[in-house]
């Protein structure tokens, strides 16, 4: 093991190539970092902000390219040098459980290829990988394209094994040198290699950041370590991990004021039809752009401070920057955010408060607030549509998913508006409580409002200003909240599992007969060991709990003895334990294992049914309906899928019908072990509905033409073996996730019989045939409506009478009339009828009514005149329940709650008198 400091010495970066070309190692007098250059007099590393951009407004490149041209130039260059071109992976890293977004091309191959678990799809290979990074989301636009949330990383990768060296540092640098010299004509004196260390995804290594004309164009990483806390552990595989900036090369080649001009320039005429796009003078932009790396403030600075420095360096007055350039920065950011939104939603992400859905929601809400600043609050859908048109040629899945993308984004915008409408009173209440404790609102409050209620910081600030609460928004707020959600929360292995794994570490892995003979139910095995009440066999048919499928149960028999197997448990080393009741067999003997046949068949049906239902859900709801979880038990199964709205009855019927059509189609269920890369090539990344599979060889369960997943479960041999699939109900288990609860085959029969029983008994009760039951229920409901109308009319008469009665004996305190009553019976509507009638007369009034039977309800109403004198209905309700026992709250006009016990009218009048007197400062009369 070594430390990071070990990587900082000159021996790590000294190359024969540098000696050949006359490069010397220098130290930057500004940032203090080391770099390599052919100019011995150079004392600055060349990277902005140490040195301003020198390519803006100039035609320095041999050829001008847009993003597509830059991508093709890069791929063909490395293809000619023996690299196989690989299709880009999704931007949502579903093959990994430790992270949500693909933020670098090497993520495609971590950890399985880089750790040696699986081979790479080619070696060497080259890929142009769309990446999304939200660590700099608040800087987008400010730096004119130095920071983007979405970009393409050109990755040229070589994987060096102990017995096969592909290429390493020397050739990596040579390739880069050739690329920029031959394709772009960059002179050698402008090609600088800056020393650095890269770390990410659990790996690390030394690297060169390549600089030309102030712009970092690529990073050449030599990944050879696994990170372990602050230590580095050498890996058996040394990986060349280069990241060429596809957009940055386009920017450099065109010399435009911003990278956004190079990426989206062709979109501008269409963009101007959607937004009012600021058009500062080009010379102004070319004078400002070289210093934009400085707009990222240092620790003690604000963005305003940073802009002032840029103003001094560029000679552009600060007021001109704020008037001419800041609005353009917002347009730049919107272009970037809307592209990221399009790509994330296009890969089936449903915005929510968890996992990658949280990040999608963050981008959409940030874009919405930015559009409001540009007086274009309703234009996000048009921007997304524009992005689909622009990028759909290179990424056709965006066009295929257009309707889903638009529908999901529209739904999220609607939810955001509803959140804002509901949020004002809640924020005001929370801020008032804080106001009593502190003068300033801490940043954690803003984070809590955003995470728990979805309320953006600028909205919270607007409310704070209305009630004179001091609040400042961190300029990197969205980076702060995003950083908490970029990685999955690690789940620790349960302690009892760790203890068992330690006890059985010397035992070989158990042979998995359940894969070899899934339709057999009896087997012979040798007892290898006993740990507590767990038995270790050399082979087993008992399927252990895993992949959401419950364990098999059954018996172990030896001689005249037997033990019941309650559960099979799979440990990390491949050892399967059999938890038994009734004694354990001696070590070394042979036993007969017998499965509970009925249980196994029911579990098989439910596992295959889960794949069938998922396929149906994705066809009815859309490709965004990815699996969020699943569980298969003998009596029923559940499947959780991502979806942005509640399921309709029509949706359920379609899904159920489709699923049963597949059952009736008698499709084979094919189980095969496949090379990981080959499986991904044939089936795509929808293989990983159940999450990552840490193996070079994966087990694929395919229903031809319907579904194919990497799956370790036990399945039927044909869809017809599943039997009828009945969806019992659905639940909204969290925002953005719908749960199907269903049953298949004979397991569905009790549920169907129970439904029949309910229909039969309801028919008897209503004196109707089952066929006419629905019509009979409708008739009954119509009768109930008529009765309710009559009751309403009678209640109004009684309420009017009761109001006249109460108006004759108010509590009068400082000009406020309070009417107090205990109404035995009645409901909320009746209570409000009395209140409305009493409020008809002018003057400050307060009404307190306790109504209902077993657990009395409380209603407090205060009109505007009473509120102006300090009578707050919600606070009065709270005070009443404190004195009388119960719970209540509310707003200035209306307070509501419940009492734990009943109270008579006179006692209630006394308590109300006390509270009202305290509020108004006078004795009751």
């Amino acid at each position: 093991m070594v430390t990071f400091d070990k990587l900082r010495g000159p021996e790590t970066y000294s190359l024969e190539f540098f000696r050949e070309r006359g490069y010397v190692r220098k130290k930057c007098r500004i940032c203090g970092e080391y770099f390599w250059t052919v100019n011995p007099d150079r004392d600055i590393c060349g990277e902005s902000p140490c040195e301003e951009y020198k390519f803006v407004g100039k035609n320095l490149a041999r050829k001008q390219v847009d993003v597509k041209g830059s991508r093709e130039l890069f791929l063909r260059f490395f293809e000619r040098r023996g690299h196989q071109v690989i299709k880009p992976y999704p931007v949502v890293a579903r093959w990994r459980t430790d992270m949500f977004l693909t933020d670098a091309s090497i993520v495609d191959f971590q950890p399985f290829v880089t750790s040696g678990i699986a081979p790479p799809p080619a070696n060497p290979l080259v890929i142009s990988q769309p990446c999304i990074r939200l660590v700099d989301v608040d800087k987008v636009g400010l730096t004119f394209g130095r920071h983007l949330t979405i970009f393409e990383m050109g990755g040229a990768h070589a994987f060096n094994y102990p017995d096969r060296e592909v290429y390493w540092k020397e050739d990596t640098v040579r390739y880069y040198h050739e690329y920029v010299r031959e394709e772009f004509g960059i002179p050698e004196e402008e090609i600088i290699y800056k020393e650095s260390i890269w770390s990410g995804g659990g790996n690390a290594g030394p690297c060169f950041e390549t600089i030309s004309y102030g712009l970092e164009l690529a990073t050449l990483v030599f990944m050879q370590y696994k990170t372990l806390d602050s230590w580095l552990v050498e890996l058996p595989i040394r990986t060349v991990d280069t990241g060429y900036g596809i957009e940055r090369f386009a920017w450099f080649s065109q010399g435009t004021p911003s990278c956004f001009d190079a990426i989206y320039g062709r979109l501008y005429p269409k963009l101007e039809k959607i937004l009012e796009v600021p058009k500062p003078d080009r010379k102004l932009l070319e004078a400002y752009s070289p210093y934009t790396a400085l707009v990222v403030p240092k620790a003690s600075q604000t963005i305003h401070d940073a802009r002032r420095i840029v103003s001094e360096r560029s000679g552009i007055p600060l007021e001109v920057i704020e008037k001419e350039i800041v609005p353009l920065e917002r347009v730049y950011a919107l272009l970037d955010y809307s592209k990221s939104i399009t790509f994330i939603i296009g890969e089936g992400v449903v915005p929510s408060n968890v996992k990658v859905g949280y990040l999608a929601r963050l981008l959409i809400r940030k874009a919405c607030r930015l559009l409001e600043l540009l007086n274009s609050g309703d234009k996000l859908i048009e921007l997304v549509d524009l992005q689909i048109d622009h990028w759909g040629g290179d990424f056709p899945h965006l066009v295929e998913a257009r309707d889903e993308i638009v529908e999901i984004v529209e739904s999220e915008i609607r939810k955001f508006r509803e959140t804002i409408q509901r949020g004002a009173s809640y924020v005001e209440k929370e801020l008032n409580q804080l106001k009593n404790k502190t003068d300033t609102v801490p940043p954690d409050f803003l984070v809590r409002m955003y995470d728990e209620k979805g309320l953006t910081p600028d909205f919270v600030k607007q409310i704070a200003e209305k009630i004179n609460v001091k609040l400042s928004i961190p300029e990197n707020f969205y980076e702060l909240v995003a950083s908490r959600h970029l990685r999955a929360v690690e789940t620790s292995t349960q302690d009892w599992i760790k203890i068992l794994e330690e006890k059985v570490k010397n035992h070989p892995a158990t042979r998995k007969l359940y894969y070899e003979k899934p339709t057999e139910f009896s087997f012979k095995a040798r007892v290898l060991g006993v740990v507590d009440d767990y038995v270790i066999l050399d082979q087993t048919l008992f399927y252990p709990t895993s992949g959401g499928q419950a364990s098999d149960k059954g018996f172990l028999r030896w001689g005249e003895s037997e033990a019941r197997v309650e559960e099979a448990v799979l440990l990390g080393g491949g050892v399967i334990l059999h938890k038994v009741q009734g004694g354990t067999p001696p070590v070394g003997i042979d036993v007969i294992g017998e499965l509970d046949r009925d249980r196994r068949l029911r579990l098989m049906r439910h596992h295959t049914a889960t794949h069938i239902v998922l396929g149906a859900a994705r066809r009815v709801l859309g490709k965004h309906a990815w699996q969020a979880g699943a569980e298969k038990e003998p009596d029923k199964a559940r499947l959780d899928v991502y979806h942005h709205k509640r399921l309709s009855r029509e949706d359920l019927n379609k899904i159920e019908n489709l699923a049963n059509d597949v059952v009736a189609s008698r499709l084979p269920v094919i189980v095969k072990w496949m090379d990981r890369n080959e499986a991904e090539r044939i089936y795509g990344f929808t293989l990983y509905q159940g999450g990552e599979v840490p193996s070079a060889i994966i087990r694929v369960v395919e229903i031809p033409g319907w579904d194919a997943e990497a799956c370790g479960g036990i399945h039927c041999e044909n869809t017809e073996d599943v039997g009828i699939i009945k969806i019992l109900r659905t639940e909204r288990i969290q925002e953005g996730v719908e749960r199907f609860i269903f049953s298949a085959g004979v397991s569905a029969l009790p549920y169907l019989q129970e439904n029949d029983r309910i229909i039969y008994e309801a028919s008897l009760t209503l004196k109707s045939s089952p066929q006419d039951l629905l019509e009979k229920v409708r008739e009954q409901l119509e009768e109930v409506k008529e009765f309710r109308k009559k009751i309403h009319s009678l209640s109004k008469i009684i309420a009017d009478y009761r109001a006249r009665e109460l108006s004759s004996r108010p509590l009068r305190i400082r000009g406020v009339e309070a009417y107090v009553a205990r109404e035995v019976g009645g409901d909320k509507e009746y209570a409000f009828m009395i209140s409305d009638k009493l409020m008809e007369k002018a003057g400050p009034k307060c009404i307190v009514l306790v109504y209902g039977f077993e657990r009395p309800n409380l209603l407090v109403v205060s009109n505007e005149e009473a509120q102006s004198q300090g009578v707050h209905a919600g606070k009065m309700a709270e005070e009443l329940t404190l004195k009388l026992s119960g719970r209540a709250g509310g707003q200035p006009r209306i307070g509501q709650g419940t009492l734990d016990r009943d109270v008579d009218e006179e006692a209630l009048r006394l308590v109300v008198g006390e509270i009202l007197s305290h509020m108004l400062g006078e004795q009751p009369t």
Side-chain angles (χ1 to χ4, degrees), residues 43-56:
D43 60 356
I44 298 176
C45 68
E47 184 178 15
S48 187
C50 293
E51 185 176 297
E52 68 274 13
Y53 298 141
K54 293 182 177 178
F55 65 93
V56 174

Side-chain angles (χ1 to χ4, degrees), residues 213-246:
Y213 300 103
L215 183 64
E216 180 186 345
L217 290 170
T219 303
L220 315 178
V221 180
F222 307 104
M223 198 172 76
Q224 60 195 107
Y225 299 103
K226 178 181 178 180
T227 55
L228 190 64
D229 298 325
S230 58
W231 293 91
L232 299 173
V233 180
E234 196 157 350
L235 290 166
I237 299 169
R238 293 172 297 121
T239 302
V240 172
D241 171 24
T242 65
Y244 286 58
I246 299 299

